[in-house]
Amino acid sequence: MDTAQKKTADPKAASTTAKKNGVPKGLNYSKEQYLEWYTLMLRIRRFEERALMAYGQQDVRGFCHVYIGQEAVAAGIESAITKDDGIVTAYRQHGTAIGRGVDTKAAMAELYGKATGVVKGKGGSMHFFSREHNYYGGNGIVGAQIPIGTGIALAEKYKKTKNLCVVMFGDGAARQGALWESWNMAMTWKLPALYICENNGYAMGTSVERTSNVTDLSKLGASFDMPSESVDGMDPEAVHEAVSRAAEHIRSGKGPYYLEIKTYRYKGHSVSDPARYREKDEVKSYQERDPIKVIEKRILDNGIATEAEIKDIKDQIKEEIAEAAQFAADSPYPEPDDLYSDNYSQPYPFLT
């Protein structure tokens, strides 16, 4: 699942790379890159569909917010950053975690509350975490991850690395005071943070238009002179190029960057939301731009892969997700005593 790290947003360089890999003229990236985007997005989509099924069967309990429709965001980010960079996000986070490299078995087991889950069954749907993959959640409180990510970026600057932290939040969290406090600190200290608003149009059931007179969320960074842009979040190629530009700016020591990535969720806010606050035609219009279908068509139309090769990918993903669900079902629940592990104990180690 590792994504290639040596991609470029330079169209000339990209076209040269594409030609060397036998990709027809007019495409910007290699065959491997297009297939990588397609495979990751399909993996996320099938995982989320299986999670919804498991919730209906009561194998998954509690809150569950699926990423269906937003897969291009995770795919485009991953191909544009390195595995040493950090990511922190909100509660609609299964796809982001899988993009980071969290195994689908460990992810599914976490949804089931099993001991083999990515955080031993203690986090559930909203609270994945993996230090191994520099993935810092999965945070349930709206906007709480923004100062956390800012702190991670501060740590990277303190340690004098070239790493950055991707700090993701939704359009609803864009109204939180923690965002403004974090941005003020990040710009003042030129922290290596890439702030990304995944704008899927609705904060729970409330549209952007009903929450503010500023509906172009890319303008929010202007108050801090933060470089900002709006991005088509239904195309992983567009996301990749925007994130690449931002990462180059940040790694050069110029400070943070902000992207409003416009995307859409096909399902309700959570599994309990029938989403009656939006019209069916609106949902259909976005589904016609479905990122998986768009990239699949791009791959087939340009001879990047054959229909047989696409079928092989689909079959492999189907088998992988089926195995993940079986693994989760067969795994044990945590032992009662596990409640007391992975916690601070008195006296706290950093206090004297």
Side-chain angles (χ1 to χ4, degrees):
M1 279 187 52
D2 287 345
T3 54
Q5 305 301 335
K6 297 181 180 179
K7 305 296 185 292
T8 175
D10 182 344
K12 292 182 180 179
S15 295
T16 300
T17 301
K19 289 174 184 176
K20 287 180 180 179
N21 286 277
V23 175
K25 186 178 179 180
L27 293 178
N28 292 326
Y29 299 97
S30 68
K31 169 182 178 178
E32 289 76 14
Q33 182 61 83
Y34 285 103
L35 291 176
E36 190 174 89
W37 284 328
Y38 179 75
T39 302
L40 176 54
M41 290 193 296
L42 188 64
R43 175 176 288 114
I44 294 170
R45 177 71 59 87
R46 296 294 177 258
F47 179 92
E48 295 290 57
E49 289 171 345
R50 188 63 185 81
L52 281 177
M53 182 187 299
Y55 194 94
Q57 296 168 341
Q58 296 191 331
D59 291 324
V60 174
R61 306 292 184 94
F63 291 103
C64 186
H65 309 80
V66 295
Y67 207 62
I68 295 174
Q70 299 185 205
E71 296 90 349
V73 182
I77 289 173
E78 279 303 326
S79 59
I81 64 173
T82 76
K83 291 299 183 183
D84 291 328
D85 294 324
I87 288 186
V88 61
T89 189
Y91 43 76
R92 193 180 311 281
Q93 53 99 45
H94 311 153
T96 310
I98 291 170
R100 282 273 78 188
V102 171
D103 183 70
T104 50
K105 289 182 179 178
M108 191 68 77
E110 189 59 40
L111 296 186
Y112 278 57
K114 298 299 184 71
T116 53
V118 65
V119 288
K120 305 178 184 177
K122 298 179 179 183
S125 173
M126 296 195 292
H127 299 102
F128 290 10
F129 184 96
S130 176
R131 182 65 184 88
E132 174 190 357
H133 297 97
N134 292 307
Y135 181 69
Y136 303 103
N139 293 270
I141 299 176
V142 176
Q145 73 277 14
I146 300 172
I148 292 172
T150 303
I152 294 169
L154 173 60
E156 296 293 358
K157 181 165 186 174
Y158 183 82
K159 292 185 290 186
K160 298 181 179 180
T161 73
K162 283 293 183 180
N163 303 331
L164 57 86
C165 184
V166 178
V167 188
M168 302 171 70
F169 55 94
D171 46 284
R175 316 303 178 193
Q176 289 282 1
L179 174 70
W180 307 104
E181 295 162 353
S182 297
W183 280 9
N184 186 62
M185 177 185 289
M187 284 299 292
T188 301
W189 291 349
K190 296 294 182 289
L191 301 183
L194 171 52
Y195 295 98
I196 291 179
C197 175
E198 287 186 286
N199 182 2
N200 62 25
Y202 295 91
M204 297 183 71
T206 306
S207 67
V208 172
E209 289 77 10
R210 292 181 60 197
T211 59
S212 174
N213 66 311
V214 179
T215 57
D216 180 357
L217 299 187
S218 67
K219 293 180 179 179
L220 298 180
S223 297
F224 302 88
D225 287 335
M226 188 183 298
S228 310
E229 57 183 290
S230 186
V231 185
D232 178 7
M234 303 302 282
D235 185 346
E237 191 168 339
V239 175
H240 169 88
E241 292 178 355
V243 174
S244 295
R245 288 191 295 272
E248 182 179 1
H249 172 94
I250 294 166
R251 294 191 210 282
S252 69
K254 297 177 182 177
Y257 206 100
Y258 166 53
L259 298 175
E260 177 207 14
I261 300 183
K262 294 183 176 180
T263 183
Y264 199 79
R265 53 172 168 81
Y266 299 162
K267 303 297 182 180
H269 171 70
S270 68
V271 292
S272 60
D273 173 19
R276 295 194 181 99
Y277 43 82
R278 56 189 187 182
E279 299 292 334
K280 291 182 180 179
D281 287 345
E282 178 183 304
V283 180
K284 183 180 178 182
S285 69
Y286 279 95
Q287 289 176 330
E288 289 172 351
R289 299 169 51 204
D290 184 82
I292 298 174
K293 292 179 180 177
V294 167
I295 290 296
E296 181 176 321
K297 187 176 187 300
R298 196 173 297 171
I299 288 170
L300 293 173
D301 287 352
N302 290 280
I304 296 173
T306 65
E307 290 187 5
E309 289 173 311
I310 291 295
K311 184 179 183 302
D312 284 344
I313 293 172
K314 290 179 178 179
D315 289 345
Q316 290 169 16
I317 296 296
K318 181 179 180 180
E319 182 179 354
E320 176 187 338
I321 300 306
E323 290 178 356
Q326 191 62 53
F327 174 81
D330 294 343
S331 293
Y333 286 105
E335 294 294 331
D337 286 347
D338 290 337
L339 179 65
Y340 303 102
S341 64
D342 305 310
N343 294 300
Y344 275 127
S345 59
Q346 292 281 3
Y348 291 116
F350 303 113
L351 299 179
T352 57

